[in-house]
Amino acid sequence: MDVGSIMTTRVVTVEMDDQLDVVKQIFDSLNFHHLLVVDDRKKLTGVVSDRDLLKALSPFVGSATENARDVATLNKRVHQIMSRNLHTLQPRAALSEAMQLFLEHRISCIPIVNEDLKPVGILSWRDVLRALLPAQNPPAG
């Protein structure tokens, strides 16, 4: 089985100079945990996780006690918090290769890129578990 057959093909990207308020809006509105960061040629340059965002924002954003300093954390740029040390695969990579990356590097997603380093998908450990779970067939009878 290759990663291209189980990866999530709906990829949401942001750019390095996007503000964190854009990232927060995406995470708040979509059920994603990772956004891929691309340059102006749409090549992969980083990954931002929902955990990266939580670490970067004031915990008081959106609360009754928020102040101007708290809100200012939303003005930070993606390049300030993104992960740059990326482990990527191409769609034809074996699932076992992806599993090895997850275990060796303690990462929660693997961007899947084409030969030009443009994202074509993303693989999470949840995708791997879904693929390995036997199909739930009702008993014959």
Side-chain angles (χ1 to χ4, degrees):
M1 181 181 304
D2 64 27
V3 297
S5 64
I6 65 167
M7 69 184 184
T8 300
T9 56
R10 184 174 173 221
V11 177
V12 176
T13 62
V14 292
E15 294 184 1
M16 290 178 53
D17 283 331
D18 283 342
Q19 292 182 326
L20 295 190
D21 66 334
V22 170
V23 173
K24 184 177 182 326
Q25 289 173 22
I26 293 170
F27 282 139
D28 287 349
S29 63
L30 301 174
N31 190 21
F32 286 169
H33 299 284
H34 303 93
L35 299 176
L36 301 183
V37 184
V38 295
D39 64 15
D40 57 347
R41 289 178 280 170
K42 303 302 178 199
K43 287 188 178 183
L44 183 69
T45 59
V47 173
V48 174
S49 72
D50 53 355
R51 289 177 305 234
D52 295 330
L53 181 67
L54 285 174
K55 285 186 226 173
L57 294 182
S58 165
F60 301 109
V61 169
S63 72
T65 60
E66 112 181 335
N67 63 39
R69 267 171 95 178
D70 299 322
V71 175
T73 62
L74 290 169
N75 295 329
K76 288 182 183 175
R77 304 294 175 161
V78 169
H79 68 86
Q80 294 176 282
I81 70 163
M82 72 182 196
S83 297
R84 296 170 191 263
N85 185 16
L86 302 178
H87 301 282
T88 64
L89 292 172
Q90 291 190 344
R92 62 187 169 278
L95 181 57
S96 60
E97 196 175 342
M99 293 167 70
Q100 192 68 35
L101 283 178
F102 282 124
L103 292 173
E104 279 181 21
H105 301 285
R106 299 181 50 97
I107 53 177
S108 56
C109 80
I110 301 170
I112 309 302
V113 296
N114 65 17
E115 298 80 23
D116 298 322
L117 292 178
K118 293 183 179 178
V120 296
I122 191 166
L123 185 72
S124 72
W125 58 267
R126 285 181 178 89
D127 296 324
V128 173
L129 290 176
R130 266 189 231 103
L132 296 176
L133 187 66
Q136 300 296 316
N137 296 322

